[in-house]
Amino acid sequence: VQLVESGGGSVQTGGSQKLSCTFSGSWDSRYCMGWFRQAPGEEREGVALIYSWHGQTHYVDSVKGRFTISHDDAKSTLYLEMTDLKPEDTAIYFCATDEQYPPCTWSPQVYAYWGQGTQVTVS
Protein backbone atom coordinates (compact mmCIF):
# COMPACT_ATOMS: atom_id res chain seq x y z
CA VAL A 1 0.00 0.00 0.00
CA GLN A 2 1.19 3.53 -0.80
CA LEU A 3 0.21 6.62 1.15
CA VAL A 4 0.42 10.11 -0.34
CA GLU A 5 -0.18 13.15 1.83
CA SER A 6 -1.29 16.63 0.90
CA GLY A 7 -2.03 19.77 2.83
CA GLY A 8 0.12 21.40 5.44
CA GLY A 9 2.04 24.65 5.30
CA SER A 10 2.26 27.71 7.48
CA VAL A 11 -0.61 29.08 9.54
CA GLN A 12 -1.06 31.62 12.29
CA THR A 13 -1.90 30.69 15.86
CA GLY A 14 -5.59 29.94 16.12
CA GLY A 15 -5.87 29.01 12.48
CA SER A 16 -6.97 25.81 10.81
CA GLN A 17 -5.60 23.30 8.34
CA LYS A 18 -6.74 20.07 6.80
CA LEU A 19 -4.40 17.24 5.89
CA SER A 20 -5.26 14.46 3.45
CA CYS A 21 -3.71 11.04 2.95
CA THR A 22 -4.70 8.98 -0.06
CA PHE A 23 -4.21 5.23 -0.03
CA SER A 24 -3.48 3.13 -3.08
CA GLY A 25 -2.72 -0.53 -3.57
CA SER A 26 -3.99 -3.54 -1.72
CA TRP A 27 -5.41 -2.42 1.57
CA ASP A 28 -8.31 -3.04 3.92
CA SER A 29 -10.06 0.02 5.35
CA ARG A 30 -10.67 -1.94 8.54
CA TYR A 31 -6.93 -1.84 9.28
CA CYS A 32 -5.57 0.57 11.87
CA MET A 33 -5.01 4.07 10.49
CA GLY A 34 -3.70 7.15 12.14
CA TRP A 35 -1.87 10.43 12.10
CA PHE A 36 1.46 10.96 13.80
CA ARG A 37 3.74 13.94 14.12
CA GLN A 38 7.36 14.65 14.83
CA ALA A 39 8.63 17.97 16.08
CA PRO A 40 12.30 18.96 15.76
CA GLY A 41 14.40 17.08 18.26
CA GLU A 42 11.42 15.05 19.44
CA GLU A 43 10.29 11.50 18.94
CA ARG A 44 7.42 10.71 16.63
CA GLU A 45 4.12 10.64 18.51
CA GLY A 46 0.63 9.50 17.77
CA VAL A 47 -1.94 12.26 17.30
CA ALA A 48 -5.14 10.51 16.25
CA LEU A 49 -6.30 7.00 15.42
CA ILE A 50 -9.44 5.84 13.68
CA TYR A 51 -11.20 2.51 13.76
CA SER A 52 -13.00 3.13 10.49
CA TRP A 53 -15.19 0.06 10.56
CA HIS A 54 -16.23 0.74 14.14
CA GLY A 55 -16.62 4.49 13.68
CA GLN A 56 -14.36 5.11 16.66
CA THR A 57 -11.77 7.85 16.92
CA HIS A 58 -9.05 8.38 19.50
CA TYR A 59 -6.90 11.41 20.20
CA VAL A 60 -3.89 12.30 22.23
CA ASP A 61 -4.90 14.62 25.06
CA SER A 62 -3.10 17.64 23.62
CA VAL A 63 -5.32 17.76 20.52
CA LYS A 64 -8.67 16.64 21.90
CA GLY A 65 -11.42 19.05 20.93
CA ARG A 66 -9.23 20.68 18.27
CA PHE A 67 -8.36 17.91 15.79
CA THR A 68 -10.71 15.57 13.95
CA ILE A 69 -9.67 12.40 12.14
CA SER A 70 -11.95 10.96 9.50
CA HIS A 71 -11.88 8.52 6.64
CA ASP A 72 -13.69 8.48 3.30
CA ASP A 73 -13.76 4.87 2.17
CA ALA A 74 -15.03 5.74 -1.32
CA LYS A 75 -12.07 8.05 -1.86
CA SER A 76 -9.59 5.86 0.04
CA THR A 77 -8.55 8.98 1.87
CA LEU A 78 -7.75 9.72 5.48
CA TYR A 79 -8.15 13.25 6.80
CA LEU A 80 -6.98 15.28 9.74
CA GLU A 81 -8.80 18.53 10.34
CA MET A 82 -6.92 20.79 12.72
CA THR A 83 -8.43 23.85 14.34
CA ASP A 84 -7.26 26.34 16.96
CA LEU A 85 -3.69 25.53 16.03
CA LYS A 86 -0.94 26.38 18.49
CA PRO A 87 2.80 26.85 18.04
CA GLU A 88 3.37 23.54 19.84
CA ASP A 89 1.49 21.80 17.02
CA THR A 90 4.39 22.66 14.71
CA ALA A 91 5.77 19.39 13.36
CA ILE A 92 6.01 17.11 10.38
CA TYR A 93 2.75 15.18 10.16
CA PHE A 94 2.59 11.63 8.86
CA CYS A 95 -0.27 9.32 8.06
CA ALA A 96 0.28 5.65 8.74
CA THR A 97 -1.38 2.30 8.53
CA ASP A 98 -0.57 -1.30 9.22
CA GLU A 99 -2.14 -4.66 8.53
CA GLN A 100 -3.69 -4.85 11.94
CA TYR A 101 -7.25 -4.71 13.09
CA PRO A 102 -8.33 -2.74 16.16
CA PRO A 103 -7.49 -2.27 18.92
CA CYS A 104 -4.74 -0.12 17.46
CA THR A 105 -1.52 0.90 19.09
CA TRP A 106 -0.14 4.41 19.50
CA SER A 107 3.39 3.12 18.98
CA PRO A 108 4.83 4.38 15.67
CA GLN A 109 7.24 1.45 15.54
CA VAL A 110 4.38 -0.92 14.84
CA TYR A 111 3.17 0.81 11.70
CA ALA A 112 4.73 -0.45 8.48
CA TYR A 113 3.29 1.97 5.94
CA TRP A 114 3.82 5.73 6.06
CA GLY A 115 3.10 8.81 4.05
CA GLN A 116 5.97 11.05 3.02
CA GLY A 117 5.23 13.60 5.73
CA THR A 118 4.02 17.16 5.46
CA GLN A 119 5.25 20.16 7.42
CA VAL A 120 2.81 22.15 9.53
CA THR A 121 4.20 25.36 10.98
CA VAL A 122 2.19 27.46 13.43
CA SER A 123 3.48 30.90 14.36
Side-chain angles (χ1 to χ4, degrees), residues 13-117:
T13 299
S16 301
Q17 279 196 343
K18 184 175 182 178
L19 307 181
S20 301
C21 174
T22 302
F23 291 63
S24 61
S26 178
W27 175 74
D28 186 340
S29 64
R30 295 173 296 175
Y31 289 153
C32 293
M33 297 179 282
W35 287 94
F36 296 75
R37 66 185 180 186
Q38 187 165 17
E42 302 290 333
E43 293 187 352
R44 193 169 298 187
E45 66 168 351
V47 175
L49 300 175
I50 185 167
Y51 300 1
S52 183
W53 193 40
H54 299 269
Q56 294 180 13
T57 56
H58 303 269
Y59 301 93
V60 67
D61 286 346
S62 60
V63 308
K64 283 181 180 177
R66 301 188 298 121
F67 289 14
T68 302
I69 186 173
S70 62
H71 176 252
D72 186 329
D73 196 38
K75 296 182 179 180
S76 298
T77 301
L78 183 70
Y79 300 99
L80 183 68
E81 294 188 77
M82 305 181 290
T83 64
D84 191 22
L85 283 162
K86 304 176 181 181
E88 51 263 41
D89 294 318
T90 295
I92 301 174
Y93 283 72
F94 301 88
C95 56
T97 189
D98 196 66
E99 294 168 339
Q100 300 180 56
Y101 296 113
C104 305
T105 178
W106 287 101
S107 175
Q109 287 77 16
V110 174
Y111 290 81
Y113 305 102
W114 292 85
Q116 78 277 16

